[in-house]
Structures are given as structure tokens and as C-alpha cells.
Amino acid sequence: MGAGPESHPVGETFRIGHEERPSTRAKGTPGVLPDLHLARAALKDDAERAALMLPPDATSLMVLPLLVRGGVRGAVGLWRTGTRAPFDPADVTLADEIGTRVSLSLDSARRYNLERRTAEAAAFPRLSRSVPAGESS
């Protein structure tokens, strides 16, 4: 089963302003911006978007795609703040593992809800026929 209608193809580019990083295009892997000075400059004319994407004290950004069945269902933004070191490869590995588990959990919940709604819809006509007219519980 491929990506659903609310998914985005793997390889779509995450952009902040005009800045594009090759790592953000690589087969759904996390993208890291170790220094946010260029990103802040790219967003200087869009204060609303800058406030949404870059907290004032953020110094490093990792964008973690949530992959489900060949498509990207969402993304998680992680920031480093203050004097902490930028994200490193070990951080990316850990975040990727957590993202995989989150993606699987979200997909399982979505599939469970779909199955439950399907079962309820199939049972509803039978239930309505089994209750005599004028009676209700």
C-alpha cells in the first residue's frame, strides 16, 4: 500500500526561505541545520513563519520526517538552544529510531480506527433491523 492522500512523497524538500540542504532530500532521513544564522536571515521578512519555525533561543535544528508506507505523514522539529552543541550524527541516529517508532504507532492507531469504523458501519444495519419498530434501549 502506498502513501495516502494526506502523505507527501519522500524526497520533497523542506525549505526555510531559499535555503535548501541536500540532507533534507535524502530518502526521508532527518535534516539538520547546525547553525540557524542563515535560516534566520532567510526568514527575516516573515516574522510569523520565523516565530513558528525557529524559537528565539534556538541555535540548531533537526527536522525528522514521520514516514509511513513510503510517504511522509508529518515531521517533528527538534531544536537545540543556548550554548548546547549542534546536533551530531549520534543525535540523528537516536532521533531517527524514535521517529520510526512514533510513525509506526501513529499508523497503527490510524489503521485501528479505520478498522473500528468499518466494523461499526457493517454492524449498524444489522443492529437497526434487529430492534422492533417503536422500541429502543
Side-chain angles (χ1 to χ4, degrees):
M1 179 178 233
E6 63 276 354
S7 294
H8 301 283
V10 171
E12 254 187 61
T13 302
F14 175 79
R15 292 182 185 183
I16 297 176
H18 298 290
E19 184 171 339
E20 178 179 329
R21 309 257 318 169
S23 61
T24 60
R25 297 193 66 157
K27 298 185 182 179
T29 58
V32 176
L33 291 174
D35 182 353
L36 297 180
H37 287 94
L38 292 174
R40 288 190 195 290
L43 292 170
K44 72 179 181 332
D45 295 330
D46 192 348
E48 184 178 335
R49 188 171 179 198
L52 240 174
M53 298 177 74
L54 299 173
D57 55 347
T59 57
S60 179
L61 167 68
M62 182 185 327
V63 178
L64 179 66
L66 299 178
L67 304 172
V68 177
R69 300 169 191 247
V72 179
R73 291 285 178 141
V76 175
L78 305 169
W79 296 270
R80 285 269 167 93
T81 59
T83 59
R84 294 189 63 195
F87 291 107
D88 62 27
D91 297 320
V92 173
T93 300
L94 176 61
D96 198 28
E97 178 65 29
I98 292 169
T100 298
R101 292 176 187 211
V102 168
S103 297
L104 289 172
S105 297
L106 290 172
D107 190 49
S108 293
R110 183 193 62 79
R111 292 177 68 196
Y112 172 80
N113 282 329
L114 178 63
E115 292 294 326
R116 182 181 51 82
R117 286 192 307 265
T118 301
E120 288 172 353
F124 183 73
R126 291 189 304 245
L127 289 175
S128 62
R129 284 184 295 204
S130 64
V131 176
E135 291 185 24
S136 61
S137 50

